[in-house]
Amino acid sequence: MLDILASGLVIGAAYASLGLCITLLSRMGGVVNFAQTAIGLLGSYLFLVLSDTPLPLWLAALAGIICSALVGAFSGAIMSRWFHDADVGTRSSVAIAMMIGYLSIGTRLFGDSPRQAPDLFDSLGLSLGAVNISGGLVVSLIVSILMAAGLHYYINNTHTGTRLQAFAAKSVTAELIGIPSDRLTIMIWSLAGAMSALALLIIMTSSARNANYASLSLLIIPALCTALIGSFHGFYLTLSGGLLLGILEAATLSSPTTAPYAQTIYLPVIVLILLWTKRKDKWDGQRA
């Protein structure tokens, strides 16, 4: 039981970290960013390339995070320059186009053959009875919790966070009262890009050390599911949803009977969440 919990938490913490990036942009940028994983992959794969050079690993990781931050800033500049007054549907459609473009560029640059990632966190592992807890689990849990707490505090307790919420709610009004929408949009996209690269670096150097580019790009599905659990708004709910989703997936993988269906658990979760969130509308319609 403890081994299922441990493996589920390391997966769930990764899902939560990516879901937090999507929640951040949904809440502050007014967009469901389908390109989030694709942006993070560009930086994390740059880290893999640099890790095969004499460059220190920490410097290679920093370069990868900066790369995704720059790609995120570029994406934010596009969104701010041409789509700042568009509705959520249009912005999200642009994000889908970005996802396709970045995945095509990444596959062209890095190929789709599995790459061996270095283990950065092996020395941080713990033993709990007969269960060995990997260093990746420890780091991913700490990072995801710090992300959720830091974003919650930043958005709700800082002047910049207040301005970001104003811009997300009423972009035109925010511009009229002097809030620098372009700069804030680029900043928040850049932050989300750096966070997604960090999350993927942890995944690739702990639990998915031989994964290829295509399989890692599919992490956008559980990340979106995790953000949906938080209604694309609550950081702590997104964190909890990611951890629960990881545990559910690990429990499914633990049985030979259900293991082949582990990657399909997101569909019933999404359906149940949508039914639950829309229940009030349905009940109101029936009463009317």
Side-chain angles (χ1 to χ4, degrees), residues 2-286:
L2 284 177
D3 57 339
I4 295 176
L5 182 63
S7 60
L9 285 176
V10 69
I11 299 171
Y15 294 166
S17 297
L18 293 171
L20 287 169
C21 298
I22 295 173
T23 300
L24 173 65
L25 279 176
S26 175
R27 186 169 173 181
M28 298 296 100
V31 57
V32 178
N33 188 18
F34 293 90
Q36 194 64 67
T37 302
I39 293 172
L41 275 175
L42 290 173
S44 57
Y45 259 73
L46 176 62
F47 158 75
L48 287 185
V49 172
L50 294 177
S51 66
D52 291 331
T53 68
L55 197 69
L57 288 179
W58 69 269
L59 197 55
L62 181 60
I65 292 171
I66 292 174
C67 172
S68 287
L70 292 175
V71 175
F74 172 73
S75 305
I78 293 175
M79 198 67 71
S80 175
R81 176 64 178 84
W82 288 294
F83 304 100
H84 71 280
D85 56 350
D87 57 25
V88 176
T90 301
R91 292 181 183 181
S92 299
S93 298
V94 174
I96 293 175
M98 289 180 180
M99 176 189 71
I100 296 171
Y102 291 146
L103 288 179
S104 300
I105 292 171
T107 304
R108 182 70 176 176
L109 289 175
F110 305 115
D112 197 38
S113 300
R115 288 176 176 263
Q116 180 69 28
D119 191 343
L120 298 182
F121 312 111
D122 186 51
S123 60
L124 301 177
L126 302 173
S127 294
L128 186 61
V131 178
N132 293 321
I133 300 176
S134 68
L137 168 59
V138 177
V139 173
S140 60
L141 273 177
I142 292 174
V143 168
S144 60
I145 292 171
L146 288 177
M147 277 187 182
L151 290 173
H152 179 82
Y153 178 83
Y154 178 75
I155 295 302
N156 294 291
N157 298 280
T158 66
H159 180 60
T160 304
T162 301
R163 296 202 297 176
L164 284 168
Q165 292 186 77
F167 170 70
K170 297 287 183 179
S171 59
V172 176
T173 304
E175 289 178 348
L176 290 175
I177 63 176
I179 295 177
S181 59
D182 290 348
R183 187 177 67 188
L184 290 174
T185 299
I186 293 172
M187 182 192 73
I188 210 69
W189 275 80
S190 179
L191 176 62
M195 289 169 52
S196 61
L198 176 60
L200 286 166
L201 277 174
I202 295 172
I203 297 171
M204 293 167 64
T205 55
S206 55
S207 61
R209 297 183 60 199
N210 289 298
N212 61 9
Y213 203 90
S215 62
L216 286 169
S217 69
L218 294 177
L219 288 174
I220 189 63
I221 299 174
L224 287 168
C225 185
T226 300
L228 180 62
I229 294 174
S231 300
F232 295 95
H233 184 82
F235 296 115
Y236 288 124
L237 276 176
T238 300
L239 172 63
S240 302
L243 297 179
L244 290 173
L245 192 64
I247 294 171
L248 178 61
E249 182 176 326
T252 306
L253 287 169
S254 65
S255 170
T257 304
T258 58
Y261 307 100
Q263 301 304 314
T264 66
I265 63 172
Y266 314 121
L267 178 59
V269 171
I270 290 172
V271 171
L272 288 173
I273 294 170
L274 291 176
L275 289 174
W276 178 256
T277 54
K278 295 298 181 181
R279 71 192 187 286
K280 187 177 184 298
D281 295 339
K282 184 177 180 180
W283 292 345
D284 289 345
Q286 289 178 344

